[in-house]
C-alpha cells in the first residue's frame, strides 16, 4: 500500500486478527481476507478495492492494537477486527504467555516510551542511544519453558469476568483509535467468544 491519500474510487480495507485472518492451513483463494476482497469486488465492480491481510498466527488483541497504530497512515477506508480466539485460549490455557503479551503492550504504549519514540524520530543520536538501551533492557518475552504448567488452572466465574473485562477494554481502545482517526471500524468477535459472552 502506498503512503498516499486514496482516490474517491479506492476502497482500502485493513483486516486484523490471528491465524483465522492470516489463512493458516488454507490456500490463497480460501483465506478470510481473500474471500472478503472477492465479495467486495462482486458487490461493486466500480470500486478499486484492496484488502490488507494483517493476520498474525497466535496474535492477541494487544498485538492487533499495536498493528493498528503502525498502519494508521495508509489511508484505510475500513478496519475489520476478527478476533478473540487467541485471547481466550492464552488467558485460560497459558496465562504466562497472555501476561507477557499484556505487559509488552503496556510498555509499548506507556507515555515515556511514546515520548522517547518521538525524540528518536528527530535525533539520530538519541535513536541510537534508545536502541542500545532497549536492547539491554528488553521487556517481557513470551515464555518458552516447556515445563511450565499449561491448562491446569480451574476456570472460575471470577476468571471469566476478568477475561471479558480485559478483552473488551482492548477492543474499546482499538475502536477509540479508529474514531479519533476518522476510520470506520467493524469488530467481529469469533463465534465461540460470542457464545461464551452470551452464556455468562
Amino acid at each position: 500500500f502506498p503512503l498516499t491519500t486514496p482516490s474517491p474510487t479506492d476502497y482500502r480495507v485493513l483486516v486484523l486478527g490471528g491465524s483465522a485472518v492470516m489463512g493458516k492451513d488454507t490456500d490463497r483463494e480460501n483465506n478470510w481476507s481473500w474471500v472478503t476482497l472477492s465479495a467486495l469486488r462482486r458487490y461493486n465492480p466500480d470500486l478499486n478495492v484492496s484488502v490488507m491481510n494483517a493476520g498474525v498466527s497466535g496474535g492477541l488483541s494487544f498485538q492487533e492494537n499495536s498493528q493498528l497504530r503502525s498502519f494508521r497512515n495508509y489511508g484505510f477506508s475500513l478496519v475489520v477486527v476478527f478476533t478473540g480466539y487467541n485471547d481466550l485460549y492464552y488467558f485460560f490455557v497459558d496465562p504466562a504467555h497472555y501476561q507477557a503479551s499484556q505487559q509488552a503492550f503496556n510498555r509499548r504504549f506507556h507515555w515515556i516510551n511514546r515520548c522517547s519514540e518521538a525524540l528518536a524520530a528527530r535525533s539520530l543520536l538519541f535513536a541510537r542511544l534508545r536502541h542500545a538501551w532497549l536492547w539491554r533492557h528488553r521487556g517481557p518475552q513470551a515464555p518458552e519453558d516447556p515445563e511450565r504448567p499449561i491448562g491446569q488452572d480451574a476456570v472460575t466465574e471470577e476468571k471469566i469476568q476478568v477475561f471479558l473485562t480485559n478483552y473488551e477494554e482492548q477492543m474499546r481502545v482499538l475502536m477509540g483509535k479508529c474514531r479519533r482517526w476518522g476510520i470506520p471500524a467493524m469488530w467481529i468477535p469469533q463465534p465461540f467468544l460470542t457464545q461464551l459472552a452470551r452464556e455468562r
Side-chain angles (χ1 to χ4, degrees):
F1 285 84
L3 276 167
T4 56
T5 304
S7 72
T9 58
D10 287 341
Y11 196 79
R12 298 178 182 174
V13 182
L14 171 65
V15 185
L16 298 167
S19 54
V21 170
M22 184 188 76
K24 185 177 180 183
D25 300 328
T26 65
D27 56 26
R28 181 175 178 236
E29 284 71 26
N30 289 299
N31 75 62
W32 206 91
S33 302
W34 183 264
V35 171
T36 302
L37 174 63
S38 302
L40 288 170
R41 284 180 173 168
R42 285 196 305 272
Y43 177 74
N44 189 343
D46 297 328
L47 279 179
N48 181 27
V49 179
S50 48
V51 176
M52 177 183 275
N53 184 339
V56 177
S57 183
L60 282 77
S61 57
F62 309 112
Q63 285 89 356
E64 289 149 17
N65 253 319
S66 297
Q67 283 179 290
L68 178 64
R69 184 174 176 80
S70 302
F71 292 132
R72 68 189 182 282
N73 294 323
Y74 282 77
F76 286 106
S77 312
L78 175 68
V79 171
V80 178
V81 190
F82 182 64
T83 183
Y85 173 80
N86 292 330
D87 285 75
L88 187 70
Y89 175 85
Y90 285 113
F91 184 89
F92 288 106
V93 176
D94 193 354
H97 180 98
Y98 182 90
Q99 289 164 6
S101 297
Q102 187 176 37
Q103 290 167 10
F105 175 81
N106 291 339
R107 284 167 55 95
R108 168 73 179 82
F109 289 102
H110 193 278
W111 68 270
I112 293 176
N113 188 57
R114 293 173 69 178
C115 291
S116 175
E117 282 182 340
L119 283 172
R122 291 171 173 78
S123 167
L124 181 59
L125 175 61
F126 185 84
R128 287 178 176 168
L129 291 171
R130 181 177 186 274
H131 177 75
W133 189 89
L134 288 173
W135 182 256
R136 292 186 61 184
H137 301 86
R138 280 176 285 180
Q141 305 293 311
E144 296 180 1
D145 176 14
E147 301 301 320
R148 72 185 188 279
I150 294 179
Q152 296 181 9
D153 293 342
V155 176
T156 63
E157 192 75 30
E158 182 182 1
K159 283 187 178 178
I160 290 172
Q161 195 54 53
V162 169
F163 164 75
L164 290 173
T165 300
N166 287 354
Y167 181 66
E168 288 169 1
E169 176 60 25
Q170 284 300 310
M171 290 300 102
R172 272 195 295 272
V173 169
L174 193 148
M175 293 303 200
K177 288 177 187 172
C178 290
R179 277 195 298 273
R180 286 196 303 276
W181 298 334
I183 307 171
M186 182 185 302
W187 169 27
I188 307 174
Q190 290 171 329
F192 63 87
L193 183 66
T194 307
Q195 184 63 32
L196 172 72
R198 187 181 298 119
E199 287 172 356
R200 305 324 300 180

